[in-house]
Amino acid sequence: MDVRSGNPSLKDEVFEKGGYANSGRTMTIQGTVNKTFILLLLVLATAVYSWNQYLNNPETILPLILVGGIGGFVVAMITIFVPKAAPFTAPLYALLEGLFIGAISAQYEVQYGGIVFQAVLLTIGVLLSLLLAYKSGFIKVTQNFRLGVVAATGAIFVVYLISFVGSFFGFNIPHLHESTPLGIIISIVIVIIAALNLVLDFDYIENASEKRVPKYFEWYGAFGLLVTLVWLYLEILRLLAKLRDR
């Protein structure tokens, strides 16, 4: 398969490990859409639970973030390295991410009233707009486009990793988490890169379905798309918070 995605879960090697299905049920775009919808419902269910838990007892935020964040990361790694497990691990990942997102969202909502609703609407708007642009051919996924988005995504990952490790030693990357004009510009750029990853995900799922990969890759494709959507939502939430601080 000659396509690439900035999403670490949607890589050529992963689909190749699954092999191509010469007979029987194969991956379809509609099937992937249906399973993405199921995963989003699971995220919503645990996010609402986590949200209510935090509002009733703010001290629960740390356990919820740790269980959801660390648990989600572990399950995501299992899904990436064992794609056949996606029908089981993708829903579990969605449930864990819901705990994480719900707690984080509630914390933002308490500080900035109405911000979560705005972030959700913007995330949905970006998703639908880019899907329409992709399907209409307005956005062409060329090799240079892929390489640019993948490189930018990798750079963001490195910066976040340095920031995370540096926080343990009292080192902070200037403006990255600040509400300065430059900090807002940085967040806008990150949101754009996260959004462009959705386009690569659309392209990757479409190509995978054309290659007639096994049916379980519908869950895997839905999982990969969810990873990007979660990232996009959190970055939009962060950007809105910075704008509110101004």
Side-chain angles (χ1 to χ4, degrees), residues 79-106:
T79 308
I80 291 172
F81 288 105
V82 189
K84 287 186 177 181
F88 309 100
T89 56
L92 180 57
Y93 170 79
L95 291 170
L96 289 168
E97 281 301 296
L99 292 177
F100 177 78
I101 291 174
I104 294 294
S105 297

Side-chain angles (χ1 to χ4, degrees), residues 10-216:
L10 299 181
K11 294 293 184 182
D12 294 346
E13 312 86 68
V14 177
F15 284 93
E16 288 170 357
K17 282 193 295 185
Y20 300 123
N22 295 319
S23 62
R25 302 176 66 196
T26 59
M27 175 183 180
T28 65
I29 294 178
Q30 185 59 53
T32 305
V33 170
N34 293 341
K35 290 171 177 59
T36 300
F37 183 70
I38 293 173
L39 295 185
L40 288 174
L41 288 179
L42 293 176
V43 169
L44 179 62
T46 51
V48 170
Y49 168 79
S50 183
W51 174 290
N52 290 330
Q53 285 293 106
Y54 172 74
L55 294 182
N56 293 329
N57 184 10
E59 294 181 359
T60 62
I61 187 171
L62 184 57
L64 290 172
I65 289 176
L66 290 177
V67 171
I70 297 176
F73 176 77
V74 171
V75 173
M77 290 299 100
I78 294 174
T79 308
I80 291 172
F81 288 105
V82 189
K84 287 186 177 181
F88 309 100
T89 56
L92 180 57
Y93 170 79
L95 291 170
L96 289 168
E97 281 301 296
L99 292 177
F100 177 78
I101 291 174
I104 294 294
S105 297
Q107 190 177 39
Y108 272 98
E109 185 67 19
V110 169
Q111 189 171 359
Y112 311 95
I115 193 173
V116 170
F117 183 67
Q118 294 173 351
V120 170
L121 286 183
L122 285 172
T123 302
I124 295 174
V126 170
L127 172 65
L128 295 180
S129 297
L130 288 177
L131 178 58
L132 179 61
Y134 172 74
K135 295 301 292 184
S136 65
F138 183 76
I139 297 179
K140 299 291 185 181
V141 183
T142 64
Q143 186 64 14
N144 287 335
F145 179 88
R146 294 189 190 100
L147 292 175
V149 175
V150 169
T153 303
I156 292 171
F157 173 77
V158 171
V159 170
Y160 275 157
L161 181 61
I162 293 174
S163 176
F164 175 74
V165 174
S167 65
F168 292 101
F169 302 97
F171 169 74
N172 294 311
I173 297 179
H175 304 287
L176 182 62
H177 304 295
E178 300 172 3
S179 301
T180 62
L182 182 55
I184 291 174
I185 292 174
I186 291 173
S187 282
I188 292 174
V189 171
I190 294 176
V191 166
I192 292 173
I193 298 303
L196 291 179
N197 269 275
L198 285 176
V199 178
L200 296 191
D201 293 346
F202 299 151
D203 184 68
Y204 209 94
I205 291 170
E206 184 175 57
N207 278 276
S209 64
E210 291 175 356
K211 295 293 184 179
R212 296 178 58 80
V213 297
K215 189 71 173 177
Y216 65 82

